[in-house]
Every structure is written in structure tokens, then in C-alpha cells.
Amino acid sequence: MPQYVSARYSEQPRYLRKTLREVAHRIEELAVQLTDAEARERIPEDQWSAVELAGFLRDSEREDLRSITAIVELTGSKIDERRAQYGPEEQNYRDRSHIDELLWDFSTLREELLWTLHYAEHAWDHVGRHPFRGDVTLTEWVSEINERDLDVMWRLGRIVASLRG
């Protein structure tokens, strides 16, 4: 498996966009290895199943796209608190969702997010006004998305290895 590192240590917009694209593709590659039943299983090392991780990822992407669009359009825009981490408990993804549908939605949102960042040009120093954190730059927000993606990728990798090992 290729080695992936957090983009937090690079503030180059091109690198951030590249890593968002590549890690998202790796997540999809891991997830398609699972059957629908396997995607609903929880392994002892993780609190969420693969379908719950996909639901979290899709919901996070939706929230992040709204925030990034606001930051790019106008520095100082109000951005919301991230709530997607509550999704697996609140939305019951294990019983009501299919991993392929969640990943399709995530992929579609990711492409929109990447195009938004591609055209951001000079907005990388823009800030969003977070209700608890204060000012957050676009670069910081995108770096956090990358770290979330890496976490999901590693967790999916553990799930696949556990079920296939």
C-alpha cells in the first residue's frame, strides 16, 4: 500500500488538492473490496463499520463544501460547527444505507469541492469565522479535511484487513 502523509505540513494549494484527490480514490478502492454485509460489520478495533465511515465521510464532505464555498466567496464568512461525527449514531447508516450510494455521493461532493478549490486562486488566505474556534483559514480547513480522509482511509484499511485476513 502506498504511504500517505498528512498535508498539514504543506501549505501549497496544488499539493493540498492533489492529496484530497488521491486519498479519496484510495478510500474508494478499499471500500469496493467489501460486500454489503461486510460493510455493515464492526470489527473490534473500530467503533464504526465501513458503511458508517462512508456516511460520516459523505456528511462531512457536504458540511465542508458549504464552509469552503463561503470562505472562498468572502473572507470572514460565518462557518458552521462540524456535526458529521454524530451521523453514525443519529442516522442509523448500518441499517438504512448502502456503502456504494454513500461513496457515490461523497465522490460527487469531492469533485465539486476540488473544482471550488481549483478556482480559489487568491482565496487561500481567506478566513472563515467559526463559532468556537474563531478565524480559520482556508488552508487550515482543507488540511483538516485531509487529516479526516487519512483517518477514514486507515480505518477502512483495518476493516478490510480484518475481514480479509
Side-chain angles (χ1 to χ4, degrees):
M1 181 162 101
Q3 294 295 316
Y4 296 93
V5 296
S6 172
R8 181 172 291 281
Y9 303 106
S10 174
E11 294 189 1
Q12 297 175 9
R14 185 172 161 214
Y15 178 75
L16 289 168
R17 289 191 314 265
K18 179 180 184 294
T19 193
L20 288 178
R21 181 174 291 108
E22 288 179 3
V23 175
H25 287 299
R26 180 64 184 147
I27 288 169
E28 293 167 8
E29 289 171 359
L30 288 166
V32 299
Q33 297 178 43
L34 300 170
T35 66
D36 199 45
E38 290 171 332
R40 295 175 192 291
E41 286 186 46
R42 288 187 180 147
I43 62 170
E45 296 84 20
D46 208 310
Q47 64 185 11
W48 291 347
S49 66
V51 75
E52 289 169 314
L53 285 168
F56 161 71
L57 201 58
R58 190 264 325 258
D59 294 350
S60 294
E61 197 73 8
R62 186 176 291 138
E63 291 175 347
D64 288 332
L65 179 58
R66 280 193 305 263
S67 294
I68 284 175
T69 301
I71 293 169
V72 167
E73 289 176 358
L74 178 66
T75 191
S77 294
K78 180 186 174 291
I79 55 176
D80 295 325
E81 174 65 19
R82 289 174 165 144
R83 295 203 30 85
Q85 71 269 14
Y86 303 114
E89 284 80 25
E90 293 175 352
Q91 302 297 325
N92 193 17
Y93 298 124
R94 283 180 74 198
D95 295 332
R96 296 189 310 196
S97 301
H98 295 281
I99 194 166
D100 55 340
E101 293 170 3
L102 294 168
L103 287 172
W104 177 262
D105 291 346
F106 164 70
S107 296
T108 303
L109 291 164
R110 176 54 55 97
E111 282 303 312
E112 189 174 345
L113 183 133
L114 287 168
W115 279 111
T116 301
L117 292 173
H118 177 75
Y119 290 109
E121 295 182 12
H122 302 293
W124 285 90
D125 292 328
H126 283 191
V127 297
R129 297 255 156 74
H130 190 272
F132 306 112
R133 297 170 55 190
D135 289 351
V136 181
T137 68
L138 178 62
T139 301
E140 290 170 328
W141 201 265
V142 173
S143 294
E144 292 169 9
I145 293 170
N146 172 245
E147 289 183 2
R148 178 209 58 220
D149 288 356
L150 287 170
D151 179 59
V152 169
M153 182 190 71
W154 291 321
R155 291 168 76 177
L156 276 174
R158 279 197 311 263
I159 291 169
V160 170
S162 176
L163 296 174
R164 299 282 186 234

